[in-house]
Amino acid sequence: MASRRWAANLDMYRKVPVDLLEGTKRGSFMSYFALFIMFALFLAETRSFLSGPILVTDLSLDGSKEKKIRVNFNITMMDMSCDYATVDLVSSLGTEQNVTQHVTKYKLDAEGVRKGYHGRNKNQKDIITSDTLVTETLDELHTNGEDAMSLDATTFEFALEEYSFLFVDFYASWCSHCKALSPTWEALAEVMRIVAEDTVISESLEEGTQLTREQLEEAHKVRLPVMVAKVDCVMHEQLCRDQKISGYPTLRLFADGKFKADYLADREVIEMTHWLASVETELYGNVGIMELVHNVANEYMGTNETLTSMKEIPKTPQRHDPAGKSKEQVEWSEKMSKHRRRTEQLNRKDEDHPGCNLSGFLWVDRAPGNFHIQARSNSHDIAAHMTNVSHEVHHLSFGNPGIKYQVEKGLVTYPPNFLETMNPMDGNVYVNPNEHEAFHHYLKIVTTEFDDPFTNTKKNNLQAYQLQSNSQLSFYRTDIIPEAKFSYDP
């Protein structure tokens, strides 16, 4: 009996009790619920597979083989003239000043409205900063008296009311360009004095009167065709501030008591008298006393350039040297350069253009560096205390600008807020209320590459750059010109 019980206990294929095989409502509900969940998951996975790529992010070192990164920008300098605004590029691999190829400048009025295309980002053209035909020193020219009148705030207002033409040299005593110009400016003033004296003497002879030297001196001051004057901006700083003088020397012409134009062409006596004659023609319809001024200047300088000949385009030399180095070609090239600068000055329209809009793109090294906007000129010394680099960033981004279009159109899958990180500085305004200060911007660049989910390879040209920006106000020494700096770290 014991052996039979032991044999029954060893049965490994016992039957399941009938109670466990019976269906219940609870079991049926759980079964239907499980089937529903599995079917829903199946549909969701199928839909996700068919709908497109899935966003998967991964962090890795930047393995790009590109040596350059493109910087796209559109920045307005609120209180900097396009004549002085330049873009410089600095990186750990080198320095490139005055980048010109893909940067354009537009003049802006006081309301920030574009008033005219200024040109490529470039320095003022290399002009002649002093007249080589004036061989005497300033002291030698002052032997018979100082003809260029020194003005202060009071006498400046008097001169505006007294003279039809007032030509003023706003200078600084420490300015190297101003010192080089001084003899030329005094020579121009002497030409005006000679014209005035000749006019007064001719009139007195016609009238049969004899003038004493004192009477002649007083008469010639009244009959000056152009009052040539100068203002020391170190001694009369407020007057120069009121005139918004930001570079020395600034040669400014006033006609009938109002601002007419700044002279930016060659600083030679003949060139300036030719320009004054053109201004007279523009204002009054014909050349009057300025033709006599130009003739006297020719005699004074020992030249023979008439107003008509200076308007003509220099003739191309008959003898042609392929290298362009023959004497005739060199002379012709110099004459053409002077003719271009002369023509640009004549066509220049000086209105109220306090601002400058700079836009375009730069190719920068894939290394830490910066680009900055600064006032600079080859023929002026910039006044640091009058340099205001307040600016508005309309747009600043890195990389191919077409990437943003593809992202916006949903052609690639991107993380949340990705678009905002591509150009976080857009629309920001940075105002410098005080002198000798400027905002510096620091940009950390994060490279983002997009994979093709179907081939598991990098998409062609789909490389975007996210930016982390930080700005701070920097302070400068009084002798350093402020700059709007944008530092980047790829």
Side-chain angles (χ1 to χ4, degrees):
M1 294 296 293
S3 61
R4 289 180 180 177
R5 288 196 298 270
W6 178 80
N9 289 336
L10 287 176
D11 188 359
M12 298 178 63
Y13 301 97
R14 297 180 181 183
K15 293 182 179 180
V16 179
V18 177
D19 294 342
L20 296 178
L21 297 177
E22 292 181 356
T24 63
K25 292 183 178 180
R26 180 180 297 176
S28 178
F29 173 77
M30 294 298 294
S31 298
Y32 279 112
F33 181 73
L35 288 172
F36 174 77
I37 293 297
M38 287 188 291
F39 184 70
L41 290 173
F42 174 77
L43 289 179
E45 290 294 327
T46 303
R47 180 181 179 184
S48 176
F49 177 79
L50 296 176
S51 62
I54 303 173
L55 176 62
V56 178
T57 60
D58 186 22
L59 183 64
S60 62
L61 295 176
D62 185 2
S64 176
K65 296 181 180 180
E66 298 291 336
K67 295 182 179 180
K68 298 282 187 178
I69 303 177
R70 172 169 165 157
V71 184
N72 314 290
F73 66 92
N74 185 338
I75 300 172
T76 289
M77 305 304 293
M78 302 176 185
D79 195 20
M80 182 182 292
S81 170
C82 283
D83 293 318
Y84 300 144
T86 59
V87 179
D88 295 338
L89 184 61
V90 179
S91 77
S92 58
L93 302 181
T95 300
E96 187 175 354
Q97 286 192 326
N98 197 35
V99 185
T100 65
Q101 187 174 5
H102 303 294
V103 181
T104 55
K105 299 191 290 188
Y106 291 88
K107 294 181 179 180
L108 304 178
D109 64 11
E111 303 298 325
V113 178
R114 284 186 178 183
K115 287 298 182 181
Y117 173 70
H118 184 80
R120 293 290 183 185
N121 170 52
K122 50 190 173 184
N123 291 336
Q124 286 183 314
K125 289 181 172 59
D126 291 333
I127 65 172
I128 299 173
T129 56
S130 62
D131 199 329
T132 56
L133 296 178
V134 180
T135 57
E136 298 139 294
T137 65
L138 187 62
D139 291 336
E140 291 172 342
L141 290 169
H142 284 171
T143 303
N144 59 348
E146 187 174 347
D147 292 301
M149 180 180 293
S150 296
L151 302 178
D152 56 23
T154 302
T155 54
F156 175 76
E157 293 297 330
F158 173 79
L160 282 177
E161 296 178 2
E162 187 70 15
Y163 297 98
S164 298
F165 290 100
L166 176 63
F167 203 8
V168 184
D169 171 18
F170 292 91
Y171 72 98
S173 54
W174 49 263
C175 163
S176 60
H177 295 296
C178 304
K179 294 176 181 178
L181 175 65
S182 294
T184 302
W185 197 248
E186 183 65 19
L188 178 64
E190 282 198 9
V191 169
M192 299 302 170
R193 175 179 59 80
I194 293 171
V195 172
E197 287 181 351
D198 290 347
T199 303
V200 172
I201 292 173
S202 297
E203 291 177 352
S204 65
L205 291 176
E206 290 177 1
E207 296 173 359
T209 59
Q210 185 71 29
L211 298 177
T212 65
R213 185 165 185 80
E214 290 76 13
Q215 290 174 324
L216 183 63
E217 287 289 335
E218 290 299 321
H220 101 261
K221 290 180 180 178
V222 176
R223 299 303 302 272
L224 280 173
V226 178
M227 166 55 77
V228 177
K230 54 188 178 182
V231 174
D232 187 343
C233 290
V234 176
M235 295 179 61
H236 308 290
E237 183 177 329
Q238 189 56 49
L239 174 57
C240 294
R241 284 180 182 272
D242 294 340
Q243 291 294 320
K244 298 181 180 179
I245 304 300
S246 57
Y248 308 125
T250 294
L251 308 182
R252 182 161 293 178
L253 178 66
F254 299 87
D256 298 324
K258 298 180 181 179
F259 166 76
K260 173 56 183 172
D262 286 340
Y263 180 78
L264 296 175
D266 292 335
R267 297 169 188 166
E268 296 178 316
V269 173
I270 294 298
E271 292 293 333
M272 288 188 281
T273 57
H274 174 264
W275 178 66
L276 290 169
S278 301
V279 172
E280 185 184 41
T281 303
E282 178 187 344
L283 291 176
Y284 306 120
N286 64 315
V287 181
I289 188 66
M290 294 304 174
E291 185 173 8
L292 175 60
V293 169
H294 190 75
N295 293 336
V296 170
N298 269 315
E299 183 178 351
Y300 183 90
M301 303 304 297
T303 57
N304 186 27
E305 296 189 64
T306 65
L307 294 176
T308 303
S309 66
M310 293 182 73
K311 294 179 182 179
E312 297 174 351
I313 300 176
K315 295 181 179 180
T316 306
Q318 296 180 351
R319 182 181 176 184
H320 180 71
D321 179 8
K325 295 183 179 180
S326 68
K327 181 179 179 181
E328 293 82 0
Q329 284 181 290
V330 171
E331 291 178 353
W332 175 81
S333 179
E334 292 176 353
K335 289 180 180 179
M336 278 301 300
S337 296
K338 293 187 71 171
H339 179 76
R340 290 192 193 98
R341 293 193 292 269
R342 187 184 304 140
T343 304
E344 287 180 6
Q345 177 65 43
L346 294 176
N347 295 332
R348 180 184 175 88
K349 301 297 181 182
D350 272 327
E351 300 174 9
D352 186 16
H353 293 160
C356 185
N357 174 255
L358 299 101
S359 60
F361 62 92
L362 308 171
W363 288 104
V364 302
D365 293 320
R366 204 178 188 87
N370 72 77
F371 72 92
H372 52 269
I373 302 174
Q374 186 181 43
R376 192 175 67 252
S377 170
N378 285 340
S379 53
H380 295 80
D381 287 324
I382 304 300
H385 69 283
M386 288 297 290
T387 303
N388 187 336
V389 291
S390 297
H391 56 280
E392 179 178 0
V393 181
H394 303 290
H395 177 72
L396 178 62
S397 65
F398 285 71
N400 186 344
I403 297 297
K404 185 176 181 181
Y405 172 81
Q406 298 189 46
V407 173
E408 290 176 336
K409 293 299 181 180
L411 301 180
V412 295
T413 305
Y414 55 90
N417 303 319
F418 181 79
L419 283 172
E420 290 77 1
T421 60
M422 291 181 67
N423 43 13
M425 296 183 66
D426 287 14
N428 291 354
V429 179
Y430 303 91
V431 178
N432 307 121
N434 303 313
E435 298 174 359
H436 309 296
E437 64 182 27
F439 276 96
H440 288 186
H441 311 286
Y442 303 90
L443 305 168
K444 177 60 182 176
I445 306 174
V446 180
T447 306
T448 302
E449 295 182 339
F450 297 93
D451 292 340
D452 189 328
F454 301 105
T455 62
N456 197 29
T457 58
K458 304 293 183 184
K459 285 194 172 183
N460 293 332
N461 298 324
L462 289 188
Q463 188 177 68
Y465 297 92
Q466 297 175 270
L467 304 179
Q468 294 177 338
S469 63
N470 180 36
S471 302
Q472 68 178 28
L473 190 61
S474 300
F475 300 93
Y476 287 77
R477 294 200 328 248
T478 56
D479 59 332
I480 301 298
I481 300 172
E483 59 188 13
K485 181 182 290 186
F486 299 81
S487 299
Y488 52 86
D489 184 8

